[in-house]
Amino acid sequence: MVEQPSKRPRRGRTPGAGGRPSRPRQAEVARLAGVSQATVSLVLSDKAQGSAISDETRQRVLDAARSLGYVPDVAAQRLAAARNNLLGVYSFTATFPTDVEHSYYPFLVGVEREAAARGYDLVLFTGSSSGGAKAAGPEALNRVRLADGCLFLGRHVPLAELKRMVADGFPVVHLGRREELEGLAWVGADYVSASREVVRHLASAGHRRVVLIREDDDAPASTDRQQGFLEGLEAAALPGGPGAVFRCADPAREVTPERLRRWLAEGVTAFVAEETDTGGAWRALRAAVDAAGLSCPGDLSLALLGSPPPDLAGGPQPTGFDVPRHQLGAAAVRMLASLVAGEEAQEPLVACAFRAGTTTGSPPQPR
């Protein structure tokens, strides 16, 4: 809860141009009411109806505005209402993912098709255009305000800067779950259910020890996959606990043939890797299997929580699920268009389709 100030600001306390008292701003109303500036904007613009704002909060905002003598800036409202039918797309990557082999490319196909169907043009931004450490800083992100609203893509995003945009009332949608930032709209895939289904498939084939290999970060997509994996183990009465998940900062160095053989000696017969931007976990697992001289699915079974990296798509099709990237891109545009129009925006999680693949089978018989 935001602590309310001990003293109520006095009207016109801050001098403006020429020494005249300045007009009270929404930020002052927010401080006095103990709410976010985005909440104040919704209440004072009569857009709070149908939102999660309670009647008590709405009344507190109105009382604070009345106490401060807040008067809407008509010119600013007209400027804010101006629309140019441009939607921004910001990618936190070194170059914009227009290569068909980039894992983000299918998202963009869905974004472009849905935007065109709704009469919007796209403005494409990339974090690399500002260079170096400033790629995700305020100077870089402020450029997206050229558009009516913006979609963001990336596992690791500057939450502080996105929080500022949300507080300013700028329409923002993140492609992928981001519940850690209150008020940020997002669309996402149901990785939990999809990962649970992969484990169910392995258990039904007879596997009793399964290990998940994932990168060592807390990206929501990784967290969701792990949650579904562990729920799948529990539902199948398979061993879980810390030993069931292997987090590695550098999969290529940590998932070695020696470690793989130790797992097999301990009774592990199936391995599951998460899909990421780099495909590091899956690449390392496949390389370790080849280097150890093992066959798949003869000696062990492999599954992938997502789709293989495009450059490895020509090999054996891994058991797992396909991320509905086209549908997610389209859903993100629908949500952003609703926010730009000042409407309530809500999109359900998009289901992932199970992929049987050829990399799993029954566990090998004891020798």
Side-chain angles (χ1 to χ4, degrees):
M1 179 179 295
V2 179
E3 185 178 11
Q4 295 192 19
S6 57
K7 291 185 179 180
R8 180 172 296 179
R10 289 183 297 175
R11 188 183 307 176
R13 182 174 58 183
T14 305
R20 297 190 304 272
S22 66
R23 178 196 304 268
R25 298 173 299 171
Q26 287 190 4
E28 297 174 56
V29 177
R31 283 195 295 270
L32 182 57
V35 299
S36 70
Q37 189 170 337
T39 298
V40 171
S41 178
L42 286 172
V43 172
L44 297 182
S45 62
D46 271 342
K47 294 179 181 177
Q49 300 299 326
S51 69
I53 300 174
S54 67
D55 291 340
E56 179 185 355
T57 299
R58 182 177 181 278
Q59 190 58 50
R60 197 161 71 244
V61 170
L62 294 175
D63 290 344
R66 189 178 303 111
S67 172
L68 291 171
Y70 174 83
V71 177
D73 188 332
V74 177
Q77 285 184 334
R78 287 177 178 170
L79 181 61
R83 299 286 177 257
N84 52 24
N85 282 354
L86 294 177
L87 298 182
V89 181
Y90 195 107
S91 168
F92 295 97
T93 54
T95 57
F96 203 84
T98 54
D99 190 320
V100 295
E101 292 191 350
H102 197 288
S103 61
Y104 285 172
Y105 181 79
F107 288 122
L108 298 179
V109 173
V111 167
E112 193 278 332
R113 289 175 179 171
E114 187 69 20
R118 292 175 173 270
Y120 284 100
D121 289 316
L122 298 177
V123 182
L124 309 182
F125 302 90
T126 177
S128 64
S129 58
S130 294
K134 296 181 179 180
E139 298 85 358
L141 292 188
N142 276 338
R143 291 178 291 113
V144 306
R145 296 177 187 266
L146 295 170
D148 296 336
C150 191
L151 302 177
F152 288 89
L153 296 86
R155 282 169 62 86
H156 306 290
V157 300
L159 294 180
E161 302 306 328
L162 289 185
K163 182 178 181 179
R164 183 174 296 111
M165 286 188 169
V166 172
D168 289 345
F170 182 73
V172 172
V173 172
H174 187 269
L175 221 164
R177 182 176 71 83
R178 303 299 318 195
E179 288 180 333
E180 68 272 39
L181 178 53
E182 183 179 359
L184 175 63
W186 56 269
V187 297
D190 190 357
Y191 294 134
V192 175
S193 298
S195 300
R196 194 165 52 229
E197 174 63 16
V198 171
V199 176
R200 189 204 64 77
H201 175 80
L202 292 171
S204 66
H207 294 278
R208 313 270 35 108
R209 288 285 307 279
V210 185
V211 167
L212 168 65
I213 299 175
R214 57 163 291 186
E215 294 186 13
D216 189 21
D217 63 37
D218 293 314
S222 297
T223 302
D224 287 350
R225 285 178 168 94
Q226 177 173 319
Q227 178 185 338
F229 172 79
L230 294 176
E231 289 181 2
L233 293 182
E234 183 179 5
L238 301 184
V245 178
F246 181 67
R247 294 176 63 135
C248 43
D250 188 349
R253 293 174 60 89
E254 298 177 61
V255 183
T256 62
E258 295 74 22
R259 186 182 291 275
L260 192 62
R261 289 192 177 279
R262 287 202 301 271
W263 273 320
L264 294 176
E266 295 168 358
V268 179
T269 59
F271 298 86
V272 178
E274 68 162 341
E275 177 196 357
T276 62
D277 300 348
T278 63
W282 180 248
R283 293 176 190 279
L285 187 55
R286 288 308 313 246
V289 170
D290 293 341
L294 300 170
S295 66
C296 170
D299 296 316
L300 75 171
S301 288
L302 303 179
L304 175 61
L305 304 182
S307 303
D311 59 311
L312 298 182
Q317 186 181 46
T319 298
F321 58 79
D322 292 314
V323 180
R325 288 178 166 83
H326 288 186
Q327 296 94 314
L328 285 168
V333 171
R334 289 194 297 269
M335 177 176 285
L336 185 58
S338 295
L339 293 176
V340 168
E343 302 169 354
E344 184 177 4
Q346 185 173 3
E347 287 277 349
L349 287 174
V350 181
C352 302
F354 177 75
R355 183 183 60 244
T358 60
T359 58
T360 57
S362 300
Q365 295 298 318
R367 297 176 181 175

